[in-house]
Amino acid sequence: MNSQITTPATEFVRRFSSTRRGASSARKVALGQLDAWGVPHGSERSDAAALVVAELAANAVLHGHVPGREFELRLVLGTVLRIEVTDTRAERLPSRPNPEAVGGCAESGRGLLLVAALAMAWGVEERVPGKTVWAEVGV
């Protein structure tokens, strides 16, 4: 008889195509993984995480796209949920959003404002090749 105690995985990593479809898939897969970890679909925590994943994945596709390269989604569940999206384009680092710079009629530029509002913390880490944009949300 095996007496080892197993615990559910608390880390998830997957690569997605650097396309709109890939960004959409990342959000859906993240929701499924969170549900498997006990963060149910439709809960406030799940909805916040889904928005953060969607924004970071969309930014990776829009601003971090390198032809033929994928982006990576990493979720780590601990005392907080750490969401990381890594792309291979290092020269386009995001900057802290400035609410005054995003006018009422602007068609873009609000994504990181949303991430900053939903996350306890967020940032950017350079890596070779590329960068990782991360956010931590409460669970």
Side-chain angles (χ1 to χ4, degrees):
M1 179 175 172
N2 186 348
S3 63
Q4 282 187 317
I5 298 173
T6 59
T7 58
T10 55
E11 182 175 3
F12 173 84
V13 179
R14 184 165 169 192
R15 292 183 183 271
F16 296 89
S17 65
S18 189
T19 62
R20 286 182 174 184
R21 180 173 282 169
S24 176
S25 293
R27 185 187 66 76
K28 290 174 186 172
V29 167
L31 282 171
Q33 184 60 54
L34 290 172
D35 192 57
W37 283 341
V39 181
H41 283 283
S43 68
E44 186 176 322
R45 298 175 306 178
S46 176
D47 289 349
L51 285 170
V52 170
V53 169
E55 289 299 331
L56 297 184
N59 283 350
V61 169
L62 183 62
H63 304 294
H65 175 74
V66 174
R69 299 280 177 100
E70 299 174 319
F71 72 90
E72 180 180 278
L73 170 67
R74 180 173 180 250
L75 306 173
V76 180
L77 183 62
T79 56
V80 298
L81 172 66
R82 184 172 172 104
I83 300 164
E84 298 179 356
V85 174
T86 301
D87 65 56
T88 56
R89 192 163 185 188
E91 70 275 9
R92 297 204 55 191
L93 297 175
S95 58
R96 295 280 168 202
N98 178 356
E100 289 91 35
V102 181
C105 296
E107 292 183 16
S108 64
R110 293 185 180 90
L112 288 178
L113 284 172
L114 179 61
V115 170
L118 293 170
M120 299 164 54
W122 75 275
V124 181
E125 296 172 356
E126 293 183 47
R127 65 175 245 168
V128 178
K131 66 185 170 296
T132 298
V133 183
W134 59 268
E136 294 178 345
V137 295
V139 291

